[in-house]
Amino acid sequence: MSVQFGQITIIGAGLIGSSVARAIQRCAATATLVLCDKDKDVLAEAKALRLADIYQIDLVKAVTNSDLVILAVPVGAMAAIGEMMAPALKTGAIVTDVGSVKASVFKALKPFMPEGVHLIPGHPVAGTEQSGPSAGFASLFEDRWCILTPPEDCDKVALKALTALWEKFGSKIEIMEAEHHDLVLAITSHVPHLIAYNIVGTASDLEEVTSSEVIKYSAGGFRDFTRIAASDPTMWRDVFLNNKDAVLEMLGRFSEDLTALQRAIRWEDGDALYKLFTRTREIRRKIIDAGQDDAKADFGRPHKD
Ligand SMILES: NC(=O)c1ccc[n+]([C@@H]2O[C@H](COP(=O)([O-])OP(=O)(O)OC[C@H]3O[C@@H](n4cnc5c(N)ncnc54)[C@H](O)[C@@H]3O)[C@@H](O)[C@H]2O)c1
Ligand SMILES: O=C(O)C(=O)C[C@]1(C(=O)O)C=C[C@@H](O)C=C1
């Protein structure tokens, strides 16, 4: 495959940044790949893994001359990075990100973007509970959705180039409004993570059950929740603080439905329970039929490369 960009810079060499680096290397999408991270140990780990051509702790130096800058940092870190790197951005460059929330990222970055720089936020809907450069893998994005949320006046050529790159990674592309993205992901990703954090927290707080019993007898359902609840604390703190309205809206609905379930159990309304469980089983089957599930669901995705 041919080189599409002269220089690409990835800011943040963690799970997603390092997976993007590996995917870029695999499809030879750039002549020069620059990897930047604020943490020197992370950069050293990335270097040992040979994830890029240049390793740079200085943000300004890292983005200078880049045709594409990909921000792969927690969403709460975007604004400060945007402000710091803005003066060094090349005219015509594309700035994108991989953050799990979209409206707040656009709002955080837009004011700093110089004239002639194309800001196109993105979100690969693929990941694991792991963090850091060693946890990444090139096939992470294969057959997964990558949602792009370009502004209405987005440059068509820039959008086409970014779309082509994600397609090279094996992703399926969906174009969406940022606010709609945040509402959909609140129910499909953010609230499920909150539920997992909460149930594992509740179990560990139980006074009459020791924490060693929780670990010893954790099977099936609870174990699956612990995988999700092991996800990165910084990343998820930032997701909830930056998608507050949509998460609270979905959490309100969730609480109402939970109260209905509570009532059904109290009044021994077996029909209501049976009906709901039948409906939810159908949803699981539809997800499998649509190819959106894989065996990794239990313990993270196996590394395929
Ligand atoms: N983990 C997932 O499953 C997943 C999936 C899709 C999208 N995302 C999004 O991807 C982004 C990165 O998540 P991750 O899982 O790769 O996290 P990670 O913790 O593995 O990596 C984040 C990296 O960013 C670096 N960093 C933080 N602030 C920085 C700064 N100011 N300058 C330079 N580097 C900085 C950290 O040192 C770290 O190495 C987040 O916005 C997250 O919402 C995560
Ligand atoms: O599989 C997992 O471990 C994930 O949590 C991945 C997951 C998700 O909720 O689906 C997490 C956050 C991202 O923004 C995208 C993907």
Side-chain angles (χ1 to χ4, degrees):
M1 273 190 235
S2 61
V3 168
Q4 191 188 347
F5 294 94
Q7 181 172 301
I8 299 180
T9 298
I10 302 170
I11 316 283
L15 168 74
I16 302 298
S18 73
S19 296
V20 170
R22 288 171 168 99
I24 286 171
Q25 285 183 330
R26 194 175 64 172
C27 65
T30 188
T32 310
L33 179 57
V34 183
L35 205 45
C36 172
D37 201 286
K38 66 170 186 177
D39 185 330
K40 64 173 175 25
D41 295 334
V42 168
L43 267 188
E45 194 177 330
K47 195 171 180 179
L49 293 162
R50 297 171 190 242
L51 295 181
D53 303 301
I54 297 170
Y55 306 87
Q56 183 56 262
I57 202 152
D58 185 310
L59 189 60
V60 168
K61 283 184 187 157
V63 302
T64 301
N65 290 324
S66 272
D67 303 291
L68 172 65
V69 176
I70 304 172
L71 306 183
V73 296
V75 290
M78 301 280 182
I81 290 177
E83 184 172 18
M84 211 181 292
M85 73 177 181
L89 290 171
K90 182 175 165 180
T91 302
I94 299 171
V95 173
T96 188
D97 76 302
V98 296
S100 305
V101 182
K102 295 278 53 85
S104 74
V105 167
F106 186 76
K107 226 167 127 189
L109 293 173
K110 185 62 187 164
F112 302 115
M113 291 302 107
E115 190 74 28
V117 167
H118 311 297
L119 173 61
I120 310 176
H123 177 206
V125 188
T128 74
E129 73 284 13
Q130 321 255 340
S131 309
S134 300
F137 50 107
S139 57
L140 176 63
F141 311 112
E142 280 173 12
D143 296 323
R144 296 303 182 114
W145 288 104
C146 179
I147 302 174
L148 299 178
T149 60
E152 267 182 31
D153 60 352
C154 182
D155 182 87
K156 300 275 176 301
V157 178
L159 181 59
K160 210 171 155 192
L162 187 62
T163 302
L165 182 68
W166 281 103
E167 283 174 347
K168 276 187 183 176
F169 297 170
S171 296
K172 304 173 280 183
I173 311 299
E174 189 79 50
I175 306 286
M176 218 181 256
E177 278 186 11
E179 288 73 16
H180 187 67
H181 165 279
D182 291 353
L183 201 63
V184 173
L185 270 290
I187 193 62
T188 58
S189 175
H190 306 168
V191 169
H193 275 76
L194 199 70
I195 293 167
Y197 283 125
N198 193 49
I199 197 166
V200 176
T202 303
S204 75
D205 285 346
L206 286 177
E207 279 168 13
E208 54 286 16
V209 181
T210 65
S211 58
S212 63
E213 281 175 309
V214 169
I215 292 164
K216 189 169 164 188
Y217 300 116
S218 79
F222 185 72
R223 206 179 163 113
D224 290 350
F225 278 117
T226 63
R227 180 185 82 77
I228 295 292
S231 300
D232 190 71
T234 305
M235 168 190 158
W236 284 99
R237 174 202 65 195
D238 284 7
V239 167
F240 293 116
L241 296 182
N242 285 278
N243 198 19
K244 193 172 139 183
D245 292 345
V247 167
L248 291 178
E249 161 69 21
M250 292 305 167
L251 214 47
R253 288 169 185 242
F254 176 82
S255 303
E256 281 176 26
D257 291 343
L258 194 62
T259 304
L261 269 180
Q262 219 173 337
R263 193 174 299 122
I265 294 168
R266 185 181 309 287
W267 297 106
E268 297 176 8
D269 184 351
D271 282 352
L273 297 175
Y274 188 84
K275 254 190 209 155
L276 176 68
F277 301 162
T278 307
R279 193 151 61 86
T280 56
R281 181 177 244 191
E282 265 316 296
I283 290 168
R284 168 78 180 167
R285 285 186 178 147
K286 279 183 190 157
I287 290 171
I288 291 169
D289 288 349
Q292 290 295 303
D293 179 72
D294 40 31
K296 64 100 192 173
D298 290 339
F299 302 106
R301 286 190 107 183
H303 292 209
K304 289 189 202 151
D305 46 283

